[in-house]
Amino acid sequence: MAIDILLTVICSIFALVVVISSNPMVSAFSLLTMFVAMAGIFFQLGSTFISAIQVLVYAGAIAILFIFVLMLLNIDDYKKHLSRNNVKPIVGIVSAMVLLGVFSIIITNNFDYLSKDQLPQTNMMDLFKELFEKYLVPFELATMLLLASVVTVVSMLKKSLGNNEDGDQA
Amino acid sequence: MIIYYYLAAFLFCLGLVGALTKKNLISILLCIELMLSAVNLFFVLFSKTTGNIDSQIQVFFIITVAAAEAAIGISIIVSLFKKINTTESDEVSIQSE
């Protein structure tokens, strides 16, 4: 139970830093830390494969990609990247209502009927059997999505970076 | 385990606030990743609460969509940076040419 509270506090603090900080680099690094802490939460919940995927894909690929691009773009005038204050009250009200709605759903439905020792350990064989039998068509559609995103990124950056003949080799 | 439900709701709303109030485009993308991650946590929790493995399959697809979305968003930001030399969302307008 102590480690649950510890992971929750770590996640909350670093997510707050992501939103509060005006420096995008600080935001990206704290998002990376939050992803690793969330992988710990998944491990605590017994789904170890999702935890490994979280570290590999989210922390290792997506957050590092953000940090890499931030280093490439070399944004040094981040002091004026503050939040927009005129929409803050309405956004605060809307998100507080969403938060209260979800909290009321959680309180009234009493989700917590499985204690920690009776959590079902997720078997990887079951997971992949489900993925490759029942969800085969969505899986193939996901590969099509990745292919489409690769084609989009390459064509967009090729157009924006100019007709460089050296780039055609790659 | 109930504390994780509150954590997921809190993270989602925090990402919502950040995505709507940030001015830097990269920070907006980071907050969207925060929201997607909170939804992942919700799906894993539902899978654990109901004992059903289908919710964990959804997490794979959410991670795939998040990776594709991050790649395309970053390429849009790099294209904009080459053109107008800033990443502030207020400076961006399609009709600016």
Side-chain angles (χ1 to χ4, degrees):
Chain A
M1 196 60 207
I3 192 149
D4 291 349
I5 295 173
L6 182 69
L7 285 170
T8 304
V9 168
I10 289 173
C11 260
S12 307
I13 287 174
F14 281 101
L16 272 174
V17 172
V18 170
V19 175
I20 287 171
S21 167
S22 64
N23 190 348
M25 191 62 99
V26 174
S27 293
F29 271 103
S30 50
L31 191 75
L32 177 66
T33 316
M34 198 216 73
F35 282 153
V36 175
M38 191 164 277
I41 289 178
F42 291 153
F43 193 82
Q44 274 299 106
L45 288 170
S47 55
T48 51
F49 186 70
I50 301 278
S51 164
I53 285 289
Q54 176 89 9
V55 172
L56 285 176
V57 176
Y58 261 122
I62 296 179
I64 295 296
L65 181 68
F66 276 109
I67 292 167
F68 187 65
V69 168
L70 278 170
M71 286 175 177
L72 276 183
L73 293 186
N74 196 13
I75 307 162
D76 47 359
D77 55 346
Y78 62 85
K79 281 295 174 200
K80 60 179 188 176
H81 286 141
L82 296 173
S83 52
R84 49 185 94 238
N85 289 315
N86 51 344
V87 295
K88 252 182 187 169
I90 184 82
V91 168
I93 290 169
V94 167
S95 61
M97 283 170 66
V98 171
L99 194 66
L100 284 180
V102 179
F103 274 12
S104 66
I105 291 171
I106 294 168
I107 290 168
T108 53
N109 272 298
N110 190 18
F111 285 117
D112 199 17
Y113 62 83
L114 286 180
S115 69
K116 179 62 76 43
D117 47 349
Q118 57 187 163
L119 275 179
Q121 282 289 322
T122 306
N123 195 355
M124 261 167 70
M125 283 304 287
D126 295 344
L127 203 63
F128 288 127
K129 212 164 181 257
E130 192 91 350
L131 181 63
F132 288 119
E133 283 176 1
K134 191 173 169 188
Y135 287 93
L136 184 62
V137 175
F139 182 77
E140 295 295 333
L141 287 177
T143 63
M144 293 299 291
L145 174 72
L146 283 175
L147 179 67
S149 72
V150 168
V151 172
T152 309
V153 168
V154 170
S155 66
M156 191 186 296
L157 285 183
K158 200 173 175 197
K159 198 181 288 177
S160 83
L161 295 182
N163 295 323
N164 197 353
E165 290 299 321
D166 299 335
D168 282 354
Q169 301 289 331
Chain B
M1 200 176 79
I2 192 83
I3 191 169
Y4 290 145
Y5 280 99
Y6 294 111
L7 174 69
F10 176 67
L11 290 186
F12 185 83
C13 291
L14 211 56
L16 185 65
V17 171
L20 291 177
T21 57
K22 286 274 187 178
K23 273 188 176 172
N24 191 359
L25 283 171
I26 295 181
S27 299
I28 293 174
L29 271 183
L30 288 174
C31 291
I32 292 173
E33 295 293 333
L34 189 62
M35 291 168 74
L36 285 169
S37 191
V39 173
N40 272 347
L41 183 54
F42 262 128
F43 270 117
V44 172
L45 283 169
F46 287 145
S47 163
K48 291 301 163 187
T49 307
T50 60
N52 195 348
I53 210 168
D54 286 348
S55 306
Q56 293 199 37
I57 306 288
Q58 307 298 326
V59 177
F60 284 99
F61 297 125
I62 292 177
I63 288 176
T64 310
V65 170
E69 175 249 329
I72 291 180
I74 281 178
S75 80
I76 289 173
I77 290 172
V78 170
S79 307
L80 275 174
F81 191 80
K82 294 293 281 188
K83 209 166 204 172
I84 61 176
N85 214 8
T86 183
T87 56
E88 290 221 47
S89 57
D90 288 350
E91 308 284 328
V92 178
S93 168
I94 295 176
Q95 304 170 350
S96 65
E97 294 299 308

